[in-house]
Amino acid sequence: STAPSHSLSNSMEAKLAKQDPAEKAKRAEAADGRVYFSYAQIHEAVSSCVPRVKAFNPDVIIAIGGGGFIPARMLRTEIRVPILAVSLKLYDHETDQMQSKVVKTQWFDETSEEGKKVRGKRVLIVDEVDDTRKTLKFCVDEVRKTNAPSAIAVLVVHNKLKKKLAELPKDVVYIAAENVPDSWNCYPWDAAKYDGRSIYEHENLARKCLVKGGSKDEKTIVEMENKLKEMKVHYDDLRKELEMQKELQKVDSQNTKATR
């Protein structure tokens, strides 16, 4: 009687694993072991954070370059506050190896019109991923030391579920659009970096990751895309035909007036 119970237990665990978001994300890795994200997926993730960002009510956004620039711009459409840019370097761009410390390579001018909105104000720091947390911690500490805002929140598109090498102060509001496994994330603005792929090739990989490589689901998506293309062509043809009919009616009207 113990064997069926053990078998049932394994079956239930397998079903639970399939429902676990982290397990689903793991299965979304591409053949090269990386996870690819499209612009639409990033936009949707960023937009999902809007209610939490509005609750924090920032006066200004500080985007950490380069990964935080595009998510910050996406956010600004719904959170109408200025964006300031800073650049911090933790990884060597040539080798992708982590360096021993974060280096500040660019900072904003506090005397500028937008730079004045930091000191004594509410600041939202935006980056694409919380990996080791060293970059976020450095940025929070540097903003406090250099520009003295009244409150700080941090927003990341993806928080990697892994042990962090730094911790944020307890009074910093933390917003993560999605918690993801510790995989190699590939973002669309870096498409050419990954084997020289075009953005279209990158977006196609992102779609395959989204459907977990399932041929049935992928075929359904492709069929839907083709159907939408056909509908657009049909719509364009109808619009041209309507415009032609309007022109003919206009000509007929003018001819009728001329013969009177």
Side-chain angles (χ1 to χ4, degrees), residues 116-176:
K116 292 177 182 177
K117 297 179 181 179
V118 176
R119 187 169 294 274
K121 302 291 185 180
R122 302 179 68 81
V123 172
L124 175 68
I125 297 172
V126 175
D127 206 358
E128 90 276 37
V129 62
D130 179 2
D131 190 348
T132 65
R133 198 164 284 174
K134 289 178 69 175
T135 300
L136 290 173
K137 176 67 161 58
F138 181 93
C139 191
V140 167
D141 291 347
E142 192 65 22
V143 168
R144 278 191 163 159
K145 180 178 70 174
T146 309
N147 309 104
S150 63
I152 298 178
V154 167
L155 183 151
V156 293
V157 181
H158 296 129
N159 170 42
K160 287 191 177 183
L161 299 174
K162 61 184 289 186
K163 183 178 179 180
K164 307 298 183 182
L165 300 181
E167 291 299 326
L168 297 174
K170 295 186 182 298
D171 61 342
V172 171
V173 176
Y174 184 81
I175 302 170

